[in-house]
Amino acid sequence: MSYLKQYHLRIKTLSPVFIGSGDSLTKKEYLFIPQRKEIRFVNQQKLFQLLEFKNLLSAYEDFILGNQKDLYFWMSSQHLKQDEIRSVQFYSVYAGNAMDTASGYNLTGIQLFVKDAYGRPYIPGSSLKGAIRTAILADMTYKRNYADRISGYLDKLNSNKWRKEFQQESENVETECLNLLKYYDSYGKEVSAKNAVTSVMKGIQITDGKPLSIDALTLCKKVDFSINGNPGKTNVARECIRPGVVSEHVLTLDRQVLGAANLDVSSIQSAIQHAFEIQSRYFLSHFPKIRGMDATPSNGTELFLGGGAGFASKTILYSMLKDESLPLTAELMKRSAAHHEEDIEKGVSPHMLKCTQYDGKFYLMGRCEVEIS
């Protein structure tokens, strides 16, 4: 149809990107080869076949119930040959710095990346659309005046139902900006603007990315930097798409639907750029230059994608309230999580920068370059 137009959407990862499948592995469910910095994910069926053949099922049960955490060490201690251990491998990824400690290595649970039915990682179109939706909202709300609402927002925090009230206010803002389509039911009554069917976002469709090779995966540990530039590593490891990987998508725009909000491919690209500028001004700029932080340049159109990228990449508070955003953000963070009592004094909220480490360098989590042609 003439009002539908397709574009080639290309996402290049500038830093590790994590989009979780919801599945995770405990320390006892994978093989870590420290000499090779390699994680081998196990085919459970092949593992049990090997253990049954070697009459090791009882010993394996003792391992699972015991204090020993290292499956590779345990299998080696059972006098299994390297070829036999390798035979239970499903696939392997480079572990990089994810298991490193000053005294050697430390096993941790691993959160797994989303994969298709054939076990191939991919970037879901829904994740990408969600990030673009946030960028469009940030661009729209920045151009509107919400400063007169801040006292009302702060008053809501005194209510016992503040979570519900803020959720309602968030929905109201999204309705004002995006739910602009007019529909009528079979009785001629106008459909409420709160109904998702009225959202102009239905005019944006993004396919799942083409499947990527297993080689695109790496393992990354969560690293949080404080306002003083000090890193704090947590015992969380994620299976991520490594930097430099390109994901190909098809973007379809319904110009008739998007016209209600004056959106087109050019304004969407501008919104992505503007949203990143807003996040940089009101959040990223408050952190010092971090030694060892990757500084790969982009084409100027970038966004943060996936899990672990932090609150700043998901919120529109900065764009709505601009220089007045700190008091409200700080109060919300204090009520939602621990250790945010001094955010106002520190001049930024939240006061931790969500990063990771890959191949000896630090990266902002989830940073991607966007190209539409």
Side-chain angles (χ1 to χ4, degrees), residues 260-312:
N262 296 315
L263 288 173
D264 57 21
V265 67
S266 178
S267 62
I268 290 171
Q269 288 175 301
S270 295
I272 294 170
Q273 293 169 345
H274 191 205
F276 182 79
E277 291 167 4
I278 292 167
Q279 185 174 344
S280 297
R281 177 178 177 181
Y282 295 104
F283 181 70
L284 297 175
S285 64
H286 292 275
F287 292 85
K289 187 176 181 180
I290 295 169
R291 185 177 181 181
M293 180 68 75
D294 175 76
T296 301
S298 74
N299 63 358
T301 305
E302 57 185 282
L303 53 69
F304 288 91
L305 179 64
F311 173 84

Coordinates of all heavy atoms in Angstrom, one line a residue, residues 260-312:
A260 N -0.4 11.5 12.3 CA -1.2 12.1 13.4 C -0.3 12.8 14.4 O -0.7 13.7 15.2 CB -2.1 11.1 14.1
A261 N 1.0 12.3 14.5 CA 2.0 12.9 15.4 C 3.1 13.6 14.7 O 4.1 13.9 15.3 CB 2.5 11.8 16.3
N262 N 2.9 13.8 13.4 CA 3.9 14.5 12.6 C 5.3 13.7 12.6 O 6.3 14.3 12.6 CB 4.2 15.9 13.0 CG 2.9 16.8 12.8 OD1 2.3 16.7 11.7 ND2 2.6 17.6 13.8
L263 N 5.2 12.4 12.6 CA 6.3 11.5 12.6 C 6.6 11.0 11.2 O 5.7 10.6 10.5 CB 6.2 10.4 13.6 CG 6.2 10.7 15.1 CD1 5.8 9.5 15.9 CD2 7.6 11.2 15.5
D264 N 7.9 11.0 10.8 CA 8.3 10.3 9.6 C 9.7 9.8 9.9 O 10.3 9.9 11.0 CB 8.3 11.2 8.4 CG 9.1 12.5 8.6 OD1 10.0 12.5 9.5 OD2 8.8 13.5 7.9
V265 N 10.4 9.2 8.9 CA 11.7 8.6 9.1 C 12.7 9.7 9.6 O 13.6 9.4 10.5 CB 12.2 7.9 7.9 CG1 12.5 8.9 6.7 CG2 13.4 7.1 8.2
S266 N 12.6 10.9 9.1 CA 13.6 11.9 9.4 C 13.4 12.4 10.9 O 14.3 12.5 11.7 CB 13.4 13.2 8.5 OG 14.3 14.2 8.9
S267 N 12.1 12.6 11.3 CA 11.8 13.0 12.7 C 12.1 11.9 13.7 O 12.5 12.2 14.8 CB 10.4 13.5 12.8 OG 9.5 12.4 12.5
I268 N 12.0 10.6 13.3 CA 12.4 9.5 14.2 C 13.9 9.5 14.4 O 14.3 9.3 15.5 CB 11.9 8.2 13.6 CG1 10.3 8.1 13.7 CG2 12.5 7.0 14.3 CD1 9.7 7.0 12.9
Q269 N 14.6 9.7 13.3 CA 16.1 9.7 13.5 C 16.5 10.9 14.4 O 17.4 10.8 15.2 CB 16.7 9.9 12.1 CG 16.7 8.6 11.3 CD 17.2 8.8 9.9 OE1 16.8 9.6 9.1 NE2 18.3 8.0 9.5
S270 N 15.9 12.1 14.2 CA 16.2 13.2 15.0 C 15.8 13.0 16.4 O 16.5 13.4 17.3 CB 15.4 14.5 14.4 OG 15.8 14.8 13.2
A271 N 14.7 12.3 16.7 CA 14.3 12.0 18.0 C 15.3 11.1 18.7 O 15.6 11.3 19.9 CB 12.9 11.3 18.0
I272 N 15.9 10.1 18.0 CA 16.9 9.2 18.6 C 18.1 10.1 19.0 O 18.7 9.9 20.1 CB 17.3 8.1 17.6 CG1 16.1 7.2 17.4 CG2 18.5 7.3 18.1 CD1 16.2 6.2 16.2
Q273 N 18.5 11.0 18.1 CA 19.7 11.8 18.4 C 19.4 12.7 19.6 O 20.3 12.9 20.4 CB 20.0 12.6 17.1 CG 20.5 11.8 15.9 CD 20.6 12.7 14.7 OE1 20.0 13.8 14.6 NE2 21.3 12.2 13.7
H274 N 18.2 13.3 19.6 CA 17.9 14.2 20.7 C 17.8 13.5 22.0 O 18.3 14.1 23.0 CB 16.6 14.9 20.3 CG 16.3 16.1 21.2 ND1 15.0 16.5 21.5 CD2 17.1 16.9 22.0 CE1 15.0 17.6 22.3 NE2 16.3 17.8 22.6
A275 N 17.2 12.3 22.0 CA 17.1 11.6 23.3 C 18.5 11.3 23.9 O 18.7 11.3 25.1 CB 16.3 10.3 23.0
F276 N 19.4 11.0 23.0 CA 20.8 10.7 23.5 C 21.4 12.0 24.0 O 22.1 11.9 25.0 CB 21.7 10.1 22.3 CG 23.1 9.8 22.8 CD1 23.3 8.6 23.5 CD2 24.1 10.6 22.5 CE1 24.6 8.3 23.9 CE2 25.4 10.3 23.0 CZ 25.6 9.1 23.7
E277 N 21.2 13.1 23.4 CA 21.7 14.4 23.8 C 21.1 14.7 25.2 O 21.8 15.2 26.1 CB 21.4 15.5 22.8 CG 22.1 15.4 21.5 CD 21.5 16.3 20.4 OE1 20.6 17.0 20.8 OE2 22.0 16.2 19.3
I278 N 19.9 14.4 25.4 CA 19.2 14.7 26.7 C 19.8 13.8 27.8 O 20.2 14.3 28.9 CB 17.7 14.4 26.6 CG1 17.0 15.5 25.7 CG2 17.0 14.4 28.0 CD1 15.6 15.1 25.3
Q279 N 20.0 12.6 27.5 CA 20.6 11.7 28.5 C 22.1 12.1 28.8 O 22.5 12.0 30.0 CB 20.6 10.2 28.0 CG 21.1 9.2 29.0 CD 21.0 7.8 28.6 OE1 20.2 7.5 27.7 NE2 21.7 6.9 29.3
S280 N 22.8 12.5 27.8 CA 24.2 13.0 28.0 C 24.2 14.2 28.9 O 25.0 14.3 29.8 CB 24.8 13.3 26.7 OG 24.9 12.1 25.9
R281 N 23.3 15.2 28.6 CA 23.3 16.4 29.4 C 22.9 16.3 30.8 O 23.6 16.8 31.7 CB 22.4 17.4 28.7 CG 22.3 18.8 29.4 CD 21.4 19.7 28.7 NE 21.2 21.0 29.4 CZ 20.5 22.0 29.0 NH1 19.8 22.0 27.9 NH2 20.4 23.1 29.8
Y282 N 21.9 15.5 31.1 CA 21.3 15.5 32.4 C 21.8 14.3 33.2 O 21.5 14.2 34.4 CB 19.8 15.5 32.3 CG 19.2 16.8 31.8 CD1 18.7 16.8 30.5 CD2 19.2 17.9 32.5 CE1 18.3 18.0 29.9 CE2 18.8 19.1 32.0 CZ 18.3 19.2 30.7 OH 17.8 20.3 30.2
F283 N 22.5 13.4 32.6 CA 23.0 12.2 33.4 C 24.5 11.9 33.1 O 25.3 12.1 34.0 CB 22.2 11.0 33.0 CG 22.6 9.8 33.8 CD1 22.4 9.7 35.2 CD2 23.2 8.7 33.1 CE1 22.8 8.5 35.9 CE2 23.6 7.6 33.8 CZ 23.4 7.5 35.2
L284 N 24.8 11.6 31.9 CA 26.2 11.1 31.6 C 27.3 12.2 31.9 O 28.4 11.9 32.3 CB 26.3 10.7 30.1 CG 25.4 9.5 29.7 CD1 25.6 9.2 28.2 CD2 25.8 8.2 30.5
S285 N 26.9 13.4 31.6 CA 27.9 14.5 31.8 C 28.3 14.7 33.2 O 29.3 15.4 33.5 CB 27.4 15.8 31.2 OG 26.2 16.3 32.0
H286 N 27.6 14.2 34.2 CA 27.9 14.4 35.6 C 29.0 13.4 36.1 O 29.4 13.5 37.2 CB 26.6 14.2 36.5 CG 25.6 15.3 36.2 ND1 25.7 16.5 36.9 CD2 24.6 15.4 35.4 CE1 24.7 17.2 36.5 NE2 24.0 16.6 35.6
F287 N 29.4 12.5 35.3 CA 30.4 11.5 35.7 C 31.7 11.9 35.1 O 31.8 12.4 34.0 CB 30.0 10.1 35.2 CG 28.8 9.5 35.9 CD1 27.5 9.8 35.5 CD2 28.9 8.8 37.1 CE1 26.4 9.3 36.2 CE2 27.8 8.3 37.7 CZ 26.6 8.6 37.3
P288 N 32.8 11.6 35.8 CA 34.1 12.0 35.3 C 34.6 11.1 34.2 O 34.0 10.1 34.0 CB 35.0 11.8 36.5 CG 34.3 10.7 37.3 CD 32.9 11.0 37.1
K289 N 35.6 11.6 33.4 CA 36.2 10.7 32.4 C 36.8 9.6 33.1 O 37.6 9.7 34.0 CB 37.2 11.5 31.6 CG 37.8 10.8 30.4 CD 38.7 11.7 29.6 CE 39.2 10.9 28.4 NZ 40.2 11.7 27.6
I290 N 36.5 8.4 32.7 CA 36.9 7.1 33.3 C 38.1 6.5 32.6 O 38.0 6.3 31.3 CB 35.8 6.1 33.5 CG1 34.7 6.7 34.4 CG2 36.3 4.8 34.0 CD1 33.4 6.0 34.4
R291 N 39.1 6.3 33.3 CA 40.3 5.7 32.6 C 40.0 4.3 32.1 O 39.4 3.5 32.8 CB 41.5 5.7 33.7 CG 42.8 5.2 33.1 CD 43.9 5.2 34.1 NE 45.2 4.8 33.6 CZ 46.3 4.7 34.3 NH1 46.3 5.0 35.6 NH2 47.4 4.3 33.7
G292 N 40.4 4.1 30.9 CA 40.2 2.8 30.3 C 38.8 2.6 29.7 O 38.4 1.5 29.2
M293 N 38.0 3.7 29.7 CA 36.6 3.6 29.1 C 36.7 3.8 27.6 O 37.4 4.7 27.0 CB 35.8 4.8 29.6 CG 34.3 4.8 29.1 SD 33.3 3.4 29.6 CE 33.0 3.8 31.3
D294 N 36.0 2.9 26.9 CA 36.0 2.9 25.4 C 35.4 4.2 24.9 O 34.4 4.7 25.5 CB 35.2 1.8 24.9 CG 35.0 1.8 23.4 OD1 36.0 1.5 22.6 OD2 33.9 2.2 22.9
A295 N 35.9 4.8 23.9 CA 35.4 6.1 23.3 C 35.2 5.9 21.8 O 35.4 6.9 21.0 CB 36.4 7.2 23.6
T296 N 34.7 4.8 21.4 CA 34.5 4.6 19.9 C 33.4 5.6 19.4 O 32.4 5.7 20.0 CB 33.9 3.1 19.7 OG1 34.9 2.2 20.1 CG2 33.7 2.9 18.2
P297 N 33.8 6.3 18.4 CA 32.8 7.3 17.9 C 31.6 6.6 17.1 O 31.8 5.5 16.7 CB 33.6 8.2 16.9 CG 34.7 7.3 16.5 CD 35.0 6.4 17.6
S298 N 30.5 7.3 17.1 CA 29.4 6.8 16.3 C 29.1 7.7 15.1 O 29.8 8.7 14.9 CB 28.1 6.7 17.2 OG 27.6 8.0 17.4
N299 N 28.0 7.4 14.4 CA 27.6 8.2 13.3 C 26.7 9.4 13.7 O 26.2 10.1 12.9 CB 26.9 7.4 12.2 CG 25.6 6.8 12.8 OD1 25.2 7.0 14.0 ND2 24.8 6.0 12.0
G300 N 26.6 9.5 15.0 CA 25.8 10.6 15.6 C 24.4 10.2 15.9 O 23.7 11.0 16.6
T301 N 23.9 9.0 15.5 CA 22.6 8.5 15.9 C 22.8 7.3 16.7 O 23.1 6.2 16.2 CB 21.8 8.2 14.6 OG1 21.7 9.4 13.8 CG2 20.3 7.8 15.0
E302 N 22.7 7.4 18.0 CA 22.9 6.3 18.9 C 21.9 6.2 20.0 O 21.3 7.2 20.4 CB 24.3 6.3 19.4 CG 24.7 7.5 20.2 CD 26.2 7.4 20.6 OE1 26.5 6.7 21.6 OE2 27.0 8.1 20.0
L303 N 21.7 5.0 20.5 CA 20.7 4.8 21.6 C 21.3 3.7 22.5 O 22.2 2.9 22.1 CB 19.3 4.5 21.1 CG 19.1 3.4 20.1 CD1 19.3 2.0 20.6 CD2 17.6 3.5 19.6
F304 N 20.7 3.5 23.6 CA 21.0 2.5 24.6 C 20.0 1.4 24.5 O 18.8 1.7 24.6 CB 21.2 3.0 26.0 CG 22.4 3.8 26.2 CD1 22.4 5.2 26.0 CD2 23.6 3.2 26.5 CE1 23.5 6.0 26.2 CE2 24.8 4.0 26.7 CZ 24.7 5.4 26.5
L305 N 20.4 0.2 24.3 CA 19.5 -0.9 24.1 C 19.7 -2.1 25.1 O 20.8 -2.4 25.4 CB 19.8 -1.5 22.6 CG 18.9 -2.6 22.1 CD1 17.4 -2.3 22.0 CD2 19.4 -3.1 20.8
G306 N 18.6 -2.6 25.5 CA 18.7 -3.9 26.3 C 18.8 -3.7 27.8 O 18.7 -2.6 28.3
G307 N 19.0 -4.8 28.5 CA 19.1 -4.8 29.9 C 20.4 -4.4 30.4 O 21.4 -4.4 29.7
G308 N 20.4 -3.9 31.6 CA 21.7 -3.5 32.3 C 22.1 -2.1 31.9 O 23.2 -1.6 32.3
A309 N 21.4 -1.4 31.0 CA 21.8 -0.1 30.5 C 21.4 1.0 31.5 O 21.9 2.2 31.4 CB 21.2 0.2 29.2
G310 N 20.6 0.7 32.5 CA 20.3 1.6 33.6 C 19.1 2.4 33.4 O 18.5 2.5 32.3
F311 N 18.6 3.0 34.5 CA 17.4 3.8 34.6 C 17.4 4.9 33.6 O 16.4 5.3 33.0 CB 17.3 4.3 36.1 CG 16.2 5.3 36.3 CD1 14.9 4.9 36.6 CD2 16.5 6.7 36.3 CE1 13.9 5.8 36.8 CE2 15.4 7.6 36.5 CZ 14.2 7.2 36.7
A312 N 18.6 5.6 33.5 CA 18.7 6.8 32.6 C 18.3 6.5 31.2 O 17.8 7.4 30.5 CB 20.1 7.4 32.7

